[in-house]
Each structure stands twice: as C-alpha cells, then as structure tokens.
C-alpha cells in the first residue's frame, strides 16, 4: 500500500513538471502573449502619458541605453513592436515554414532576445537582485537604512525584470523555431546525424571547454569583490574618497561588503558546474544528500545571473566610455566577459548532463 502511494506521488510529481519539459510546444504562444500585453501597456502610456519607464519617465535614465528614448515616439514604437511580436509569435507557434519567409520570424525572435535581455536592463537590475538576500537578513534589524522598494525597485527597474521575462521567452522561441526549420528534434535540438560521442556538444568535449569557461567565471568576480573589501577597510580604490567617507558615515559600507561577499560566493558556486557536488547533492544537505541535482536548479539561476552581470558590465562601459581605456580599470567593465564565460560553462553543464531524449530517443 505504501509503495502504491509512493509511486502515485512520483507520477504526480513527474506529470506536474511535464508542461515544463514540453516548453518548445508552448513557448512561442507565451512570447506572443507577453508581446501583446506589453503592446497594450505601451498604448496606455501613449494615451495617458503615465507609466512610461524610459527617458523622462525614468529619473535615473543615465544608466540606461534607452535614456534618450522620449515618451511619445518611444511609447508608440513600443506599442507597434509589441503588436508585431504578438503576430510573429503566433506565426512561429503555428509552425510557419514558408520557404522564402521563414528566416524573418527567426531574425525577429533573436533580435527580441538581444533587445529585451541585453539592451533594456542596466546595472540597477543586478543591484536590486543582489540586495534581496541582504534585505531579507537585515530586515529584522532595520537594515539597510533605506526603503528597499522605493530605492532599488521603482517601476523603471521592475519594468527591466518584466522585459527580462519576455527576453527569456523570446530566446526559447528562437531556439525552438530554429530547431523546427532545421529539421532537428524539437525537444532536445539534436540533429539526425548527431551522436553523443562526437562534436563540440559531446559530453567529453563539453567537459573540456566547459572546465576552462567555469574556471574563468570563478576568477573574474574577485576583482570586484577585492575592490569592495578594500572600501570596507577605508581604502578608496576606484572611488572618490568623499563618497567612500559618506558610505562609512551612513553604514552603507556594510551593504557593499555584503555585495562583495555575494559576488565571491557566486564565483565559488560556478565551480559546481564542473564539480561532482554540482551533479549530486553533498552529504551535509539533509533530505537531499545523494540525490541528483535537477538541471533547472543549476541552469536557471546561472542563466539569470549571466544576463544580469553582462548587462551591468555593458552599462558601466557605456557610462564611462568617455574615459577611453581607463574604463578597463573598473573591475565591473570586465563583467561582460564574466557573463560570456558563465554562460558557456552553463551550456557545457547542460550538454554534459542532458539525458536521453524521450522524443528522438538519442542520448
């Protein structure tokens, strides 16, 4: 009886995740729905002049690549872009394969991915993301001494996270549609001639290049962490001494120290993409010890962080480009490389650990 209950629970667990495993079948519909919703929001901004999150609607737009996108032309353009995305997303969802036109939707899907995940987010997105654990720990003690929602999550920043959701949906749409028009397996992307023991996607090959990518992604955040820790000690490396003094006076230097520690810890976690403890939960994890780490547990956070650090680094380069090569003295200017290496290590982790496909039965 107990066995039957256990088996029933396992079946329920598998069925509850079945929709996630079948993401190529619904991702384009989701991207189309997201674009339609954003287009409707843009129409509202156009008609009312309220809520536009770029240009004059963003008090701190100097961080953004879209800081000069004014409300009227910007909201109208975003409305047209959103409605176009709804149409193209629906075309892809309906498996549009006309020979002369099929590449147009694919290019649009990839362009949406870049626009939503790379162009729109800026350094404030990763700041808000990194402060969440700090605020959770410090909230009972009334720290940090600022209103987190008001300071780190105003509407323009929330809009960036909303756009990131759309960006991931369009990335999935682009991948699934590329598989369709290439004749690859829709579920796993393997081609008819692909084998598990040859090519750069093979487990052995991914283990080699993934190792170098993971080690690079492990080392790169420490430049930023060391700089922040020096600030804790009162050493003004890459910062105005007066500003550093104000951080110590207000107590915000503690937040900086926490961010430095989170960055270093994130670098350490990257090693899980190439170590055994990134595949099997270690002994000290009570209740999970010895169980395989689900792919999503490693890949989803790594993908989000890849986007955040890449966009943050590009924002820093954009803001300080007037300094010429001097911008490279800022450790955050190297974050796009950190993002690329982390993304590569994550991809290698996926290729190493993906199992047998239930659709094409390739392993």
């Amino acid at each position: 009886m107990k066995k039957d209950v256990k088996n029933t629970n396992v079946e329920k667990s598998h069925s509850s995740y079945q929709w996630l495993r079948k993401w190529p079948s619904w991702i384009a519909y989701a991207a189309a729905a997201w674009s339609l919703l954003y287009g409707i929001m843009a129409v509202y901004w156009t008609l009312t002049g309220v809520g536009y999150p770029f240009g004059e609607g963003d008090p701190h737009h100097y961080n953004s690549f879209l800081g000069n996108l004014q409300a009227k032309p910007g909201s109208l353009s975003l409305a047209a872009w959103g409605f176009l995305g709804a149409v193209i997303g629906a075309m892809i969802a309906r498996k549009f394969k006309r020979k002369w036109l099929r590449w147009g939707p694919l290019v649009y899907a990839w362009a949406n991915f870049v626009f939503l995940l790379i162009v729109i987010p800026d350094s404030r997105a990763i700041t808000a993301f990194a402060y969440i654990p700090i605020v959770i720990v410090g909230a009972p003690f009334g720290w940090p001494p600022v209103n987190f929602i008001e300071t780190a999550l105003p509407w323009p920043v929330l809009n960036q996270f909303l756009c990131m959701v759309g960006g991931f949906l369009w990335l999935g749409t682009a991948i699934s549609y590329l598989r369709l028009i290439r004749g690859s397996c829709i579920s796993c992307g393997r081609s008819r001639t692909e084998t598990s023991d040859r090519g750069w996607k093979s487990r052995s090959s991914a283990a080699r290049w993934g190792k170098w990518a993971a080690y690079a992604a492990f080392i790169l955040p420490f430049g930023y962490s060391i700089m922040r820790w020096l600030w804790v000690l009162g050493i003004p490396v890459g910062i105005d001494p007066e500003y550093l003094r104000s951080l110590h006076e207000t107590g915000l230097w503690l937040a900086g120290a926490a961010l430095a520690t989170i960055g270093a810890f994130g670098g350490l976690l990257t090693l899980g993409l190439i170590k055994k403890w990134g595949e099997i939960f270690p002994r000290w994890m009570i209740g999970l010890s010895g169980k395989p780490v689900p792919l999503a547990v490693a890949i989803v956070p790594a993908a989000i962080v890849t986007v955040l650090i890449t966009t943050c680094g590009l924002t820093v380069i954009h803001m300080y480009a007037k300094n010429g090569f001097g911008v490279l003295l800022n450790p955050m200017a190297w974050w796009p490389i950190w993002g690329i290496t982390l993304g590569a290590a994550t991809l290698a982790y996926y290729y190493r650990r993906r199992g047998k496909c239930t659709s094409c039965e390739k392993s």
Side-chain angles (χ1 to χ4, degrees), residues 2 6 9 28 30 34 45 55-56 96 115 125 130 154 159 169 183 192 216 230 234 243 254 258 265 285 291 315 338:
K2 284 184 179 178
K6 188 176 180 182
N9 289 336
W34 184 94
W45 301 333
E56 64 264 39
F96 182 82
F115 182 62
N159 175 68
L169 290 176
R192 293 172 184 172
L230 289 174
Y243 181 61
L254 284 169
F265 183 66
M285 296 194 73
K291 295 180 180 179
T315 302
W338 179 16

Side-chain angles (χ1 to χ4, degrees), residues 42-98:
V43 169
Y44 175 78
W45 301 333
T46 304
L47 296 176
T48 66
V50 177
Y52 181 68
F54 306 107
E56 64 264 39
D58 181 4
H60 301 286
H61 64 263
Y62 53 82
N63 281 345
S64 175
F65 286 104
L66 301 181
N68 295 322
L69 188 61
Q70 298 305 303
K72 277 294 180 186
S75 55
L76 282 170
S77 299
L78 289 170
W81 163 74
F83 294 136
L84 178 62
V87 172
I88 292 179
M91 288 170 59
I92 293 175
R94 300 297 296 174
K95 297 180 172 54
F96 182 82
K97 291 177 69 176
R98 298 255 177 110

Side-chain angles (χ1 to χ4, degrees), residues 87-230:
V87 172
I88 292 179
M91 288 170 59
I92 293 175
R94 300 297 296 174
K95 297 180 172 54
F96 182 82
K97 291 177 69 176
R98 298 255 177 110
K99 186 175 181 180
W100 299 107
L101 298 174
R102 63 186 181 181
W103 294 104
L106 181 64
V107 170
Y108 180 86
W110 283 116
N112 265 4
F113 150 65
V114 173
F115 182 62
L116 291 166
L117 281 181
I118 305 300
V119 177
I120 288 182
D122 58 43
S123 57
R124 291 171 292 176
I126 194 171
T127 300
F129 186 78
Y131 267 102
I132 290 173
I134 297 172
V135 170
I136 291 172
V137 173
F141 309 100
W143 188 88
V146 293
N147 185 318
F148 174 72
I149 300 297
E150 192 178 290
T151 304
L153 283 175
W155 165 237
V157 177
L158 286 173
N159 175 68
Q160 293 181 20
F161 285 109
L162 176 62
C163 288
M164 286 174 61
V165 171
F168 280 114
L169 290 176
W170 275 106
L171 172 60
T173 299
I175 291 171
S176 64
Y177 189 54
L178 180 61
R179 291 174 179 177
L180 176 69
I181 61 181
R182 288 180 60 187
S184 303
C185 175
I186 295 295
S187 297
C188 71
R190 294 178 175 94
S191 66
R192 293 172 184 172
T193 58
E194 185 176 333
T195 59
S196 60
D197 58 347
R198 288 191 302 174
W200 67 278
K201 296 180 183 178
S202 68
R203 290 187 181 90
S204 58
S205 181
R208 286 194 299 272
W209 58 264
K211 179 178 70 173
W212 292 109
Y215 280 128
F218 161 67
I219 293 168
L220 282 165
F222 279 91
Y224 170 79
S225 296
I226 290 170
M227 183 179 72
R228 282 281 191 167
W229 285 326
L230 289 174

